[in-house]
Amino acid sequence: MQYPRRLAEVTDGTSNTVAVGEAFHPMRWGLGPGYGIQEIGGPVGWIVGSACIKPNCQLTDQSYGRDMRNTKFPINATIPMLMDNENDIPFGSLHPGGANFTFADGHVGFLSQNLSMPTFQGLASCDGGETFDATY
């Protein structure tokens, strides 16, 4: 869910819950000269200020959730830059084989792009009751 959580609400354990992850996949409304161009796009900035970088941006050009990610696709997946999938852009990086994630307890871990989808999606859940061994 896209609303703040208190640590007490992370009942799966803060060391087993992803809070923030890398995202590099370009998107149509990303930063840079490819802004708004479906075939080019650009990377997305951090949580705020991640859409229009032109002088005097209109409110309609601002970011509304474009900087959020989900676990619909595997780490480092590539999907087309369509108008209706901007909230489905996958986590990923330029690191070979995976991406870095910050967990709710503050530690950073590298997750493999070969991580099973049930495990990846379970790590993104804060109260689903999933359990994991330390080898994810």
Side-chain angles (χ1 to χ4, degrees), residues 44-112:
V44 177
W46 283 92
I47 297 299
V48 294
S50 66
C52 181
I53 59 172
K54 299 180 282 188
N56 302 317
C57 287
Q58 300 297 313
L59 287 176
T60 55
D61 290 335
Q62 299 300 311
S63 176
Y64 298 105
R66 295 184 190 128
D67 37 15
M68 302 299 174
R69 298 290 168 263
N70 64 43
T71 56
K72 182 176 181 178
F73 297 102
I75 298 168
N76 286 336
T78 301
I79 64 172
M81 289 185 283
L82 303 173
M83 292 287 286
D84 62 350
N85 71 357
E86 64 186 19
N87 288 323
D88 290 332
I89 302 297
F91 286 100
S93 74
L94 293 178
H95 310 296
N100 288 301
F101 290 82
T102 301
F103 287 74
D105 67 355
H107 86 273
V108 175
F110 185 79
L111 296 181
S112 169

Side-chain angles (χ1 to χ4, degrees), residues 9-17 122 124-132:
E9 295 176 280
V10 183
T11 57
D12 287 349
T14 56
S15 63
N16 285 323
T17 303
S125 161
C126 68
D127 59 2
E130 303 90 356
T131 58
F132 306 100

